[in-house]
Amino acid sequence: MDGIVTDVAVGVKRGSDELLSGSVLNGPSSNMTSIVVTANGNDNKKFKGDDKMESAPSRVLHIRKLPGEVTETEVIALGLPFGKVTNILMLKGKNQAFLELATEEAAGTMVNYYTTLTPHLRNQPIYIQYSNHKELKTDSALNQRAQAVLQAVSAVQSSNSTVANTAGSENTVSSAQSPVLRIIIDNMYYPVTLDVLHQIFSKFGTVLKIITFTKNNQFQALLQYADPTNAQQAKLALDGQNIYNACCTLRIDFSKLVNLNVKYNNDKSRDYTRPDLPSGDGQPTLDPAIAAAFAKETSLLAVPGALSPLGIPNAAAAAAAAAAGRVGMHGVTTAGNTVLLVSNLNEEMVSPQSLFTLFGVYGDVQRVKILYNKKDSALIQMADGNQSQLAMSHLNGQKMYGKIIRVTLSKHQTVQLPREGLDDQGLTKDFGNSPLHRFKKPGSKNFQNIFPPSATLHLSNIPQTITEDDLRTLFTNTGGTVKAFKFFQDHKMALLQMSTVEEAIQALIDLHNYNIGDNHHLRVSFSKSTI
């Protein structure tokens, strides 16, 4: 984005500046204090006044330079991310509008946000500033349409519907005008992070908020633009495209929601208008410098030809993707670290073998070391950077042995084995030659069956002699409850549903590679299906 200059222009405006008399606006009719976001730094020349005064925040905002065809809904949508919009007055002949928010604080957040990022409607820069008026009065018949739109939005705003995610809730409205997109990612063989989504979707306009979650065993996201038109453009351009070659397909719909209410800034949800939000759930708060960087529209994934598909056709583009979200293609060496640091483990229960089994769902674990002086933490070395990213994105925040584990990239490049003859109490284990690696064989079907942890497990390699009751008993003995079961037609595979994801994780750790009889070792993985 070109350099943005923020001018604080303070002065007295005469007569027509706000184009309204005191009968419409409560407060002084002739003075206006302006904080103007400009793209070129020249707009302050328009605000020459003879009385200098302090900027006076107000919950009424004056919006200028609106495109001629802009709708009330689009102007209201500008304010919704920052709080409840309580009134609007459109001055279409003058390409201006007044927007009243419920609180001065909400209006201040909006003005402050747009001092760092020029707002656009229909690809045209617009200018937002405080009005000196403290309240809008709009009983004029001329404003009936705008009031009707505002009432419709307010009606749905008042009934917040909660997303299936602790990070946020949303307000619903007609999907045709919504600035919020619902994104589902099919064939997710490689991790897609919140930052990767921001990189891709920022090409079409200002992204204000993102919430990611897993629903029906699929990675999904809700993404809110500043402008509904940008949402339309992004949907047209990106729906059906692959982020990487032949995988990670974007399925995009308009949400019925008009505003996302994000509570935390972390790897699952982000409000780019509120870098001060806590991270929640014990995660470290975002560094202020990083938070400020989030507000900038960078587009590392905008490699030439990347949209058809968004695929990463070569190593250079893969490096761009790795920089954007630290993800990489299988078979392309990425700069990503292969070593993970796992913390908040249950030190009474955890073992190198249990970590090997769980993390082995997302890659071929080479070595595991439980730290001698800090036994609730472990280093896990994966076969490549892509696998470590995949394991981190799927397992961070999951429950293992009753504790929510934290998974981050380690600064170590490798996991050191203990010196020969040194007894480290079995805390370090080398799995480099393990026959249990799921991804050793190039082109293995396992690459196509990588799913987030879910309550439903996929079982395979079941001998014909084993019955449903046998399997139900076996899985109940891991300490959970089997809620549903279904054999596949050939009886060699089945789906089994535990009552929680945590129970399913425990069952997978205990029973993957379990000798079930007839020299059959049970294979267990997470499923995207439900029974």
Side-chain angles (χ1 to χ4, degrees), residues 300-365:
L300 292 173
L301 283 186
V303 292
L307 287 182
S308 49
L310 292 168
I312 307 296
N314 55 42
R326 288 172 291 287
V327 300
M329 292 289 291
H330 176 65
V332 176
T333 305
T334 72
N337 203 335
T338 60
V339 180
L340 296 168
L341 172 64
V342 187
S343 55
N344 203 41
L345 293 164
N346 183 331
E347 55 186 275
E348 304 296 320
M349 306 284 290
V350 76
S351 66
Q353 184 64 48
S354 62
L355 290 168
F356 167 79
T357 304
L358 179 58
F359 281 74
V361 172
Y362 300 106
D364 293 338
V365 175

Side-chain angles (χ1 to χ4, degrees), residues 59 123 130 150 315 356 416:
R59 64 193 184 98
N123 293 322
Y130 288 122
L150 183 63
F356 167 79
Q416 296 294 325

